[in-house]
Amino acid sequence: VTYTITASNAGPSNATGATVADTFPASLTCTWTCAGAGGGTCTASGSGNINNTVNLPSGGSVTYTASCTLSNAATGTLSNTATVTAPAGVTDPTPGNNSATDSDTITAAPGASVSGTKTAAGTFTVGSTITYTVTLTNNGTGAQGDNPGNEFTDVLPATLALVSATASSGTAVATTGTNTVTWNGAIPASGTVTITITATILPAAAGMTVSNQGTIAFDGDGNGTNESMAKTDDPAVSGAADPTTFAVAAPLSAIPTLSTFGLLALALILSGLAVAWLRRRDPA
């Protein structure tokens, strides 16, 4: 919220030591600057409420520009009044114009509404590479900012080994030591960002179903902090906020092998069978 406050002296007398005051509403946090014209002088800058002694020669003026942040909790009407008071000994022939009030209706801040899908692709066998594709979409009326904290976090299960992470915008970080992917960045209203995660399927996953979801943090009330949460959804499964799952093929059964003793025993058995077969063919 920006206020422009101008105090002027139409004369005929000079007003040396006049006072300009503005007590801002409690829902505002303000800083201000001031510049004089026509010989008017004032304090160059300040913060908080204005209660400033100024010099206003006949025909002179001072103009304050107050830049204020409106509390996210503010509702209803924002009303602000500024006044100027003539110094002692100076008669103001028109005191009715020594104050001015500005009133505005407070509307809800435009917020973000971020959802995400997550799909998996690969051969789904032990030792192969699995690729997750995460798409974050802002369906809100306001932009999602790159706010403090992560806008997206994904901790992969222990049956996978994280390899890398990239993003179409913002910054994706793959922390392999904790199997964690984080993303930080902004998403405009109606905008999207794609995060690509690669991992290796570990032997412990053989014959198992691997399930995983990422967590989204977003600014639903437009106040610059991520207070709202959502989970990624597998678009191949009906419903919302479904984990992304895939089955890892079980290993083929091992072919049995014989020890040296077993091989000798097998050779003797085969030899005995051969001799018996030959004797049956030659009865003489």
Side-chain angles (χ1 to χ4, degrees):
V1 178
T2 301
Y3 290 107
T4 301
I5 304 159
T6 300
S8 58
N9 179 12
S13 303
N14 294 329
T16 302
T19 301
V20 175
D22 192 335
T23 300
F24 296 107
S27 57
L28 293 178
T29 302
C30 302
T31 60
W32 49 266
T33 60
C34 184
T41 61
C42 54
T43 301
S45 62
S47 61
N49 297 327
I50 299 172
N51 189 11
N52 193 206
T53 300
V54 301
N55 295 318
L56 294 173
S58 179
S61 65
V62 292
T63 299
Y64 294 82
T65 302
S67 298
C68 307
T69 301
L70 181 62
S71 168
N72 188 60
T75 58
T77 300
L78 182 66
S79 183
N80 179 31
T81 300
T83 62
V84 59
T85 303
V90 174
T91 300
D92 186 351
T94 55
N97 63 2
N98 286 3
S99 68
T101 300
D102 177 87
S103 295
D104 301 281
T105 300
I106 299 171
T107 58
S113 180
V114 182
S115 60
T117 60
K118 183 177 183 180
T119 59
T123 56
F124 308 130
T125 58
V126 170
S128 67
T129 298
I130 175 74
T131 301
Y132 286 115
T133 301
V134 178
T135 301
L136 304 181
T137 302
N138 181 8
N139 298 300
T141 57
Q144 169 62 41
D146 185 4
N147 297 329
N150 302 315
E151 276 71 47
F152 177 74
T153 303
D154 197 344
V155 181
L156 300 188
T159 48
L160 302 178
L162 175 62
V163 176
S164 65
T166 60
S168 59
S169 64
T171 303
V173 176
T175 305
T176 57
T178 59
N179 242 21
T180 301
V181 173
T182 57
W183 177 81
N184 289 268
I187 310 175
S190 302
T192 63
V193 61
T194 300
I195 303 166
T196 303
I197 303 168
T198 58
T200 301
I201 301 176
L202 298 177
M208 296 179 59
T209 296
V210 178
S211 181
N212 178 245
Q213 274 182 297
T215 301
I216 305 161
F218 62 93
D219 182 9
D221 56 14
N223 70 345
T225 60
N226 297 332
E227 80 295 327
S228 300
M229 306 291 287
K231 292 285 190 179
T232 57
D233 177 62
D234 185 348
V237 181
S238 61
D242 297 298
T244 301
T245 62
F246 60 89
V248 180
L252 297 174
S253 300
I255 299 175
T257 58
L258 295 175
S259 64
T260 302
F261 175 79
L263 290 172
L264 289 173
L266 179 61
L268 289 173
I269 292 170
L270 292 174
S271 297
L273 290 174
V275 170
W277 183 75
L278 289 173
R279 286 178 177 175
R280 288 185 64 184
R281 290 191 61 190
D282 186 9

